[in-house]
PDB file of all heavy atoms in Angstrom:
ATOM      1  N   VAL A 315      -0.052  -3.045 -33.454  1.00  0.00           N
ATOM      2  CA  VAL A 315      -0.121  -4.463 -33.809  1.00  0.00           C
ATOM      3  C   VAL A 315       0.959  -4.794 -34.832  1.00  0.00           C
ATOM      4  O   VAL A 315       1.007  -4.199 -35.909  1.00  0.00           O
ATOM      5  CB  VAL A 315      -1.516  -4.821 -34.376  1.00  0.00           C
ATOM      6  CG1 VAL A 315      -1.519  -6.252 -34.905  1.00  0.00           C
ATOM      7  CG2 VAL A 315      -2.575  -4.649 -33.312  1.00  0.00           C
ATOM      8  N   SER A 327       4.353 -24.755 -45.348  1.00  0.00           N
ATOM      9  CA  SER A 327       5.729 -25.143 -45.021  1.00  0.00           C
ATOM     10  C   SER A 327       6.530 -23.870 -44.808  1.00  0.00           C
ATOM     11  O   SER A 327       6.178 -22.801 -45.315  1.00  0.00           O
ATOM     12  CB  SER A 327       6.345 -25.964 -46.156  1.00  0.00           C
ATOM     13  OG  SER A 327       6.552 -25.153 -47.308  1.00  0.00           O
ATOM     14  N   ASP A 336       9.357 -13.149 -48.646  1.00  0.00           N
ATOM     15  CA  ASP A 336      10.510 -12.512 -49.292  1.00  0.00           C
ATOM     16  C   ASP A 336      10.123 -11.853 -50.607  1.00  0.00           C
ATOM     17  O   ASP A 336      10.743 -10.864 -51.022  1.00  0.00           O
ATOM     18  CB  ASP A 336      11.604 -13.555 -49.550  1.00  0.00           C
ATOM     19  CG  ASP A 336      12.347 -13.925 -48.283  1.00  0.00           C
ATOM     20  OD1 ASP A 336      12.312 -13.139 -47.325  1.00  0.00           O
ATOM     21  OD2 ASP A 336      12.961 -15.005 -48.239  1.00  0.00           O
ATOM     22  N   LEU A 338       6.935 -10.566 -51.273  1.00  0.00           N
ATOM     23  CA  LEU A 338       6.019  -9.456 -51.039  1.00  0.00           C
ATOM     24  C   LEU A 338       6.559  -8.419 -50.060  1.00  0.00           C
ATOM     25  O   LEU A 338       6.346  -7.213 -50.255  1.00  0.00           O
ATOM     26  CB  LEU A 338       4.678  -9.992 -50.515  1.00  0.00           C
ATOM     27  CG  LEU A 338       3.908 -10.942 -51.429  1.00  0.00           C
ATOM     28  CD1 LEU A 338       2.635 -11.413 -50.724  1.00  0.00           C
ATOM     29  CD2 LEU A 338       3.569 -10.269 -52.752  1.00  0.00           C
ATOM     30  N   VAL A 346       8.628 -16.082 -37.609  1.00  0.00           N
ATOM     31  CA  VAL A 346       7.682 -16.883 -38.392  1.00  0.00           C
ATOM     32  C   VAL A 346       7.555 -18.241 -37.719  1.00  0.00           C
ATOM     33  O   VAL A 346       8.547 -18.936 -37.526  1.00  0.00           O
ATOM     34  CB  VAL A 346       8.146 -17.068 -39.851  1.00  0.00           C
ATOM     35  CG1 VAL A 346       7.136 -17.921 -40.627  1.00  0.00           C
ATOM     36  CG2 VAL A 346       8.337 -15.722 -40.535  1.00  0.00           C
ATOM     37  N   SER A 360       7.371  -3.648 -38.078  1.00  0.00           N
ATOM     38  CA  SER A 360       6.668  -2.406 -37.749  1.00  0.00           C
ATOM     39  C   SER A 360       5.178  -2.620 -37.934  1.00  0.00           C
ATOM     40  O   SER A 360       4.742  -3.542 -38.619  1.00  0.00           O
ATOM     41  CB  SER A 360       7.130  -1.248 -38.648  1.00  0.00           C
ATOM     42  OG  SER A 360       6.660  -1.423 -39.969  1.00  0.00           O
ATOM     43  N   LEU A 370      -2.241  -7.174 -48.291  1.00  0.00           N
ATOM     44  CA  LEU A 370      -1.763  -8.007 -49.397  1.00  0.00           C
ATOM     45  C   LEU A 370      -2.231  -9.459 -49.300  1.00  0.00           C
ATOM     46  O   LEU A 370      -2.463 -10.113 -50.308  1.00  0.00           O
ATOM     47  CB  LEU A 370      -0.231  -7.977 -49.442  1.00  0.00           C
ATOM     48  CG  LEU A 370       0.424  -6.651 -49.818  1.00  0.00           C
ATOM     49  CD1 LEU A 370       1.943  -6.759 -49.679  1.00  0.00           C
ATOM     50  CD2 LEU A 370       0.051  -6.252 -51.244  1.00  0.00           C
ATOM     51  N   SER A 374      -6.199 -13.862 -50.198  1.00  0.00           N
ATOM     52  CA  SER A 374      -5.416 -13.943 -51.431  1.00  0.00           C
ATOM     53  C   SER A 374      -4.730 -15.292 -51.559  1.00  0.00           C
ATOM     54  O   SER A 374      -4.715 -16.099 -50.628  1.00  0.00           O
ATOM     55  CB  SER A 374      -4.362 -12.828 -51.463  1.00  0.00           C
ATOM     56  OG  SER A 374      -3.412 -13.034 -50.420  1.00  0.00           O
ATOM     57  N   ARG A 375      -4.154 -15.541 -52.713  1.00  0.00           N
ATOM     58  CA  ARG A 375      -3.398 -16.764 -52.957  1.00  0.00           C
ATOM     59  C   ARG A 375      -2.035 -16.402 -53.531  1.00  0.00           C
ATOM     60  O   ARG A 375      -1.927 -15.731 -54.546  1.00  0.00           O
ATOM     61  CB  ARG A 375      -4.144 -17.680 -53.918  1.00  0.00           C
ATOM     62  CG  ARG A 375      -3.393 -18.958 -54.256  1.00  0.00           C
ATOM     63  CD  ARG A 375      -4.184 -19.854 -55.181  1.00  0.00           C
ATOM     64  NE  ARG A 375      -5.383 -20.367 -54.541  1.00  0.00           N
ATOM     65  CZ  ARG A 375      -6.248 -21.175 -55.147  1.00  0.00           C
ATOM     66  NH1 ARG A 375      -6.046 -21.544 -56.404  1.00  0.00           N
ATOM     67  NH2 ARG A 375      -7.323 -21.599 -54.505  1.00  0.00           N
ATOM     68  N   LEU A 379       0.353 -20.340 -50.195  1.00  0.00           N
ATOM     69  CA  LEU A 379      -0.501 -19.587 -49.275  1.00  0.00           C
ATOM     70  C   LEU A 379      -1.848 -19.306 -49.927  1.00  0.00           C
ATOM     71  O   LEU A 379      -1.946 -18.535 -50.878  1.00  0.00           O
ATOM     72  CB  LEU A 379       0.159 -18.258 -48.890  1.00  0.00           C
ATOM     73  CG  LEU A 379       1.408 -18.296 -48.016  1.00  0.00           C
ATOM     74  CD1 LEU A 379       1.841 -16.877 -47.689  1.00  0.00           C
ATOM     75  CD2 LEU A 379       1.160 -19.068 -46.745  1.00  0.00           C
ATOM     76  N   ILE A 381      -4.861 -17.866 -48.373  1.00  0.00           N
ATOM     77  CA  ILE A 381      -5.236 -17.290 -47.091  1.00  0.00           C
ATOM     78  C   ILE A 381      -6.754 -17.162 -46.950  1.00  0.00           C
ATOM     79  O   ILE A 381      -7.419 -16.563 -47.783  1.00  0.00           O
ATOM     80  CB  ILE A 381      -4.589 -15.912 -46.893  1.00  0.00           C
ATOM     81  CG1 ILE A 381      -3.066 -16.035 -47.024  1.00  0.00           C
ATOM     82  CG2 ILE A 381      -4.971 -15.337 -45.540  1.00  0.00           C
ATOM     83  CD1 ILE A 381      -2.441 -16.975 -46.032  1.00  0.00           C
ATOM     84  N   ARG A 382      -7.266 -17.728 -45.861  1.00  0.00           N
ATOM     85  CA  ARG A 382      -8.687 -17.590 -45.522  1.00  0.00           C
ATOM     86  C   ARG A 382      -8.913 -16.376 -44.642  1.00  0.00           C
ATOM     87  O   ARG A 382      -9.847 -15.605 -44.857  1.00  0.00           O
ATOM     88  CB  ARG A 382      -9.180 -18.855 -44.821  1.00  0.00           C
ATOM     89  CG  ARG A 382      -9.202 -20.082 -45.711  1.00  0.00           C
ATOM     90  CD  ARG A 382      -9.312 -21.365 -44.894  1.00  0.00           C
ATOM     91  NE  ARG A 382     -10.452 -21.343 -43.983  1.00  0.00           N
ATOM     92  CZ  ARG A 382     -10.684 -22.291 -43.081  1.00  0.00           C
ATOM     93  NH1 ARG A 382      -9.845 -23.308 -42.969  1.00  0.00           N
ATOM     94  NH2 ARG A 382     -11.726 -22.221 -42.296  1.00  0.00           N
ATOM     95  N   GLN A 390       1.909 -10.087 -28.940  1.00  0.00           N
ATOM     96  CA  GLN A 390       2.437  -9.101 -29.871  1.00  0.00           C
ATOM     97  C   GLN A 390       3.936  -8.908 -29.672  1.00  0.00           C
ATOM     98  O   GLN A 390       4.426  -8.817 -28.544  1.00  0.00           O
ATOM     99  CB  GLN A 390       1.707  -7.771 -29.683  1.00  0.00           C
ATOM    100  CG  GLN A 390       0.282  -7.784 -30.199  1.00  0.00           C
ATOM    101  CD  GLN A 390       0.218  -7.983 -31.706  1.00  0.00           C
ATOM    102  OE1 GLN A 390       0.971  -7.355 -32.462  1.00  0.00           O
ATOM    103  NE2 GLN A 390      -0.660  -8.865 -32.150  1.00  0.00           N
ATOM    104  N   GLY A 391       4.654  -8.810 -30.796  1.00  0.00           N
ATOM    105  CA  GLY A 391       6.075  -8.516 -30.759  1.00  0.00           C
ATOM    106  C   GLY A 391       6.945  -9.762 -30.790  1.00  0.00           C
ATOM    107  O   GLY A 391       6.532 -10.853 -30.387  1.00  0.00           O
ATOM    108  N   GLU A 409      13.506 -28.864 -33.005  1.00  0.00           N
ATOM    109  CA  GLU A 409      14.269 -27.994 -33.911  1.00  0.00           C
ATOM    110  C   GLU A 409      13.608 -27.852 -35.272  1.00  0.00           C
ATOM    111  O   GLU A 409      13.553 -26.760 -35.841  1.00  0.00           O
ATOM    112  CB  GLU A 409      15.687 -28.561 -34.069  1.00  0.00           C
ATOM    113  CG  GLU A 409      16.586 -27.704 -34.936  1.00  0.00           C
ATOM    114  CD  GLU A 409      18.003 -28.231 -35.013  1.00  0.00           C
ATOM    115  OE1 GLU A 409      18.317 -29.194 -34.269  1.00  0.00           O
ATOM    116  OE2 GLU A 409      18.789 -27.691 -35.803  1.00  0.00           O
ATOM    117  N   GLU A 410      13.077 -28.948 -35.825  1.00  0.00           N
ATOM    118  CA  GLU A 410      12.520 -28.909 -37.177  1.00  0.00           C
ATOM    119  C   GLU A 410      11.320 -27.969 -37.281  1.00  0.00           C
ATOM    120  O   GLU A 410      11.169 -27.231 -38.256  1.00  0.00           O
ATOM    121  CB  GLU A 410      12.114 -30.317 -37.613  1.00  0.00           C
ATOM    122  CG  GLU A 410      11.597 -30.375 -39.046  1.00  0.00           C
ATOM    123  CD  GLU A 410      11.275 -31.792 -39.480  1.00  0.00           C
ATOM    124  OE1 GLU A 410      11.650 -32.739 -38.749  1.00  0.00           O
ATOM    125  OE2 GLU A 410      10.652 -31.962 -40.546  1.00  0.00           O
ATOM    126  N   ALA A 412      10.544 -25.534 -35.128  1.00  0.00           N
ATOM    127  CA  ALA A 412      10.728 -24.328 -34.324  1.00  0.00           C
ATOM    128  C   ALA A 412      10.530 -23.060 -35.153  1.00  0.00           C
ATOM    129  O   ALA A 412      10.686 -23.070 -36.377  1.00  0.00           O
ATOM    130  CB  ALA A 412      12.132 -24.323 -33.721  1.00  0.00           C
ATOM    131  N   GLU A 426      20.401 -17.791 -29.779  1.00  0.00           N
ATOM    132  CA  GLU A 426      20.922 -16.433 -29.956  1.00  0.00           C
ATOM    133  C   GLU A 426      19.808 -15.404 -29.829  1.00  0.00           C
ATOM    134  O   GLU A 426      19.969 -14.366 -29.182  1.00  0.00           O
ATOM    135  CB  GLU A 426      21.600 -16.314 -31.323  1.00  0.00           C
ATOM    136  CG  GLU A 426      22.273 -14.968 -31.554  1.00  0.00           C
ATOM    137  CD  GLU A 426      22.981 -14.898 -32.894  1.00  0.00           C
ATOM    138  OE1 GLU A 426      22.951 -15.900 -33.649  1.00  0.00           O
ATOM    139  OE2 GLU A 426      23.560 -13.826 -33.191  1.00  0.00           O
ATOM    140  N   PHE A 431      16.818 -10.934 -27.406  1.00  0.00           N
ATOM    141  CA  PHE A 431      15.520 -10.254 -27.391  1.00  0.00           C
ATOM    142  C   PHE A 431      14.647 -10.514 -26.161  1.00  0.00           C
ATOM    143  O   PHE A 431      13.704  -9.748 -25.915  1.00  0.00           O
ATOM    144  CB  PHE A 431      14.724 -10.651 -28.645  1.00  0.00           C
ATOM    145  CG  PHE A 431      15.399 -10.284 -29.930  1.00  0.00           C
ATOM    146  CD1 PHE A 431      15.914 -11.269 -30.770  1.00  0.00           C
ATOM    147  CD2 PHE A 431      15.541  -8.963 -30.302  1.00  0.00           C
ATOM    148  CE1 PHE A 431      16.543 -10.943 -31.956  1.00  0.00           C
ATOM    149  CE2 PHE A 431      16.170  -8.619 -31.489  1.00  0.00           C
ATOM    150  CZ  PHE A 431      16.678  -9.616 -32.319  1.00  0.00           C
ATOM    151  N   VAL A 442       5.650 -18.641 -15.485  1.00  0.00           N
ATOM    152  CA  VAL A 442       4.728 -18.652 -14.347  1.00  0.00           C
ATOM    153  C   VAL A 442       3.287 -18.743 -14.839  1.00  0.00           C
ATOM    154  O   VAL A 442       2.475 -19.512 -14.307  1.00  0.00           O
ATOM    155  CB  VAL A 442       4.929 -17.400 -13.469  1.00  0.00           C
ATOM    156  CG1 VAL A 442       3.789 -17.269 -12.461  1.00  0.00           C
ATOM    157  CG2 VAL A 442       6.266 -17.464 -12.760  1.00  0.00           C
ATOM    158  N   HIS A 447      -1.614 -21.977 -15.482  1.00  0.00           N
ATOM    159  CA  HIS A 447      -2.667 -22.514 -16.339  1.00  0.00           C
ATOM    160  C   HIS A 447      -2.661 -24.040 -16.306  1.00  0.00           C
ATOM    161  O   HIS A 447      -3.716 -24.672 -16.292  1.00  0.00           O
ATOM    162  CB  HIS A 447      -2.487 -22.034 -17.784  1.00  0.00           C
ATOM    163  CG  HIS A 447      -3.564 -22.534 -18.691  1.00  0.00           C
ATOM    164  ND1 HIS A 447      -4.802 -21.940 -18.767  1.00  0.00           N
ATOM    165  CD2 HIS A 447      -3.600 -23.597 -19.526  1.00  0.00           C
ATOM    166  CE1 HIS A 447      -5.550 -22.605 -19.623  1.00  0.00           C
ATOM    167  NE2 HIS A 447      -4.849 -23.609 -20.103  1.00  0.00           N
ATOM    168  N   GLY A 467       0.867 -33.445 -39.198  1.00  0.00           N
ATOM    169  CA  GLY A 467       0.241 -34.320 -40.182  1.00  0.00           C
ATOM    170  C   GLY A 467      -1.260 -34.392 -40.039  1.00  0.00           C
ATOM    171  O   GLY A 467      -1.918 -35.129 -40.763  1.00  0.00           O
ATOM    172  N   GLU A 471      -8.457 -28.804 -36.652  1.00  0.00           N
ATOM    173  CA  GLU A 471      -8.277 -27.403 -36.359  1.00  0.00           C
ATOM    174  C   GLU A 471      -8.978 -27.104 -35.042  1.00  0.00           C
ATOM    175  O   GLU A 471      -9.953 -27.751 -34.678  1.00  0.00           O
ATOM    176  CB  GLU A 471      -8.866 -26.525 -37.462  1.00  0.00           C
ATOM    177  CG  GLU A 471      -8.156 -26.684 -38.799  1.00  0.00           C
ATOM    178  CD  GLU A 471      -8.819 -25.872 -39.885  1.00  0.00           C
ATOM    179  OE1 GLU A 471      -9.874 -25.292 -39.615  1.00  0.00           O
ATOM    180  OE2 GLU A 471      -8.291 -25.843 -40.998  1.00  0.00           O
ATOM    181  N   TYR A 474     -11.356 -20.937 -31.264  1.00  0.00           N
ATOM    182  CA  TYR A 474     -11.843 -20.295 -30.054  1.00  0.00           C
ATOM    183  C   TYR A 474     -12.977 -19.365 -30.480  1.00  0.00           C
ATOM    184  O   TYR A 474     -12.754 -18.387 -31.166  1.00  0.00           O
ATOM    185  CB  TYR A 474     -10.726 -19.488 -29.392  1.00  0.00           C
ATOM    186  CG  TYR A 474      -9.534 -20.331 -29.039  1.00  0.00           C
ATOM    187  CD1 TYR A 474      -8.455 -20.433 -29.909  1.00  0.00           C
ATOM    188  CD2 TYR A 474      -9.503 -21.040 -27.856  1.00  0.00           C
ATOM    189  CE1 TYR A 474      -7.367 -21.222 -29.593  1.00  0.00           C
ATOM    190  CE2 TYR A 474      -8.408 -21.826 -27.543  1.00  0.00           C
ATOM    191  CZ  TYR A 474      -7.348 -21.915 -28.408  1.00  0.00           C
ATOM    192  OH  TYR A 474      -6.265 -22.684 -28.077  1.00  0.00           O
ATOM    193  N   VAL A 475     -14.193 -19.700 -30.059  1.00  0.00           N
ATOM    194  CA  VAL A 475     -15.331 -18.975 -30.596  1.00  0.00           C
ATOM    195  C   VAL A 475     -15.660 -17.703 -29.819  1.00  0.00           C
ATOM    196  O   VAL A 475     -16.497 -16.933 -30.257  1.00  0.00           O
ATOM    197  CB  VAL A 475     -16.585 -19.873 -30.636  1.00  0.00           C
ATOM    198  CG1 VAL A 475     -16.329 -21.075 -31.520  1.00  0.00           C
ATOM    199  CG2 VAL A 475     -16.986 -20.308 -29.239  1.00  0.00           C
ATOM    200  N   SER A 482      -1.969 -19.304 -31.174  1.00  0.00           N
ATOM    201  CA  SER A 482      -0.725 -19.090 -30.447  1.00  0.00           C
ATOM    202  C   SER A 482      -0.944 -18.957 -28.942  1.00  0.00           C
ATOM    203  O   SER A 482      -0.031 -19.138 -28.161  1.00  0.00           O
ATOM    204  CB  SER A 482      -0.012 -17.826 -30.943  1.00  0.00           C
ATOM    205  OG  SER A 482      -0.747 -16.676 -30.581  1.00  0.00           O
TER     206      SER A 482
END
Side-chain angles (χ1 to χ4, degrees):
V315 173
S327 69
D336 284 339
L338 299 178
V346 179
S360 71
L370 293 174
S374 65
R375 178 178 294 180
L379 291 184
I381 303 301
R382 293 164 54 186
Q390 288 296 315
E409 183 176 353
E410 183 177 349
E426 185 178 0
F431 300 111
V442 168
H447 181 81
E471 295 176 354
Y474 302 94
V475 300
S482 69

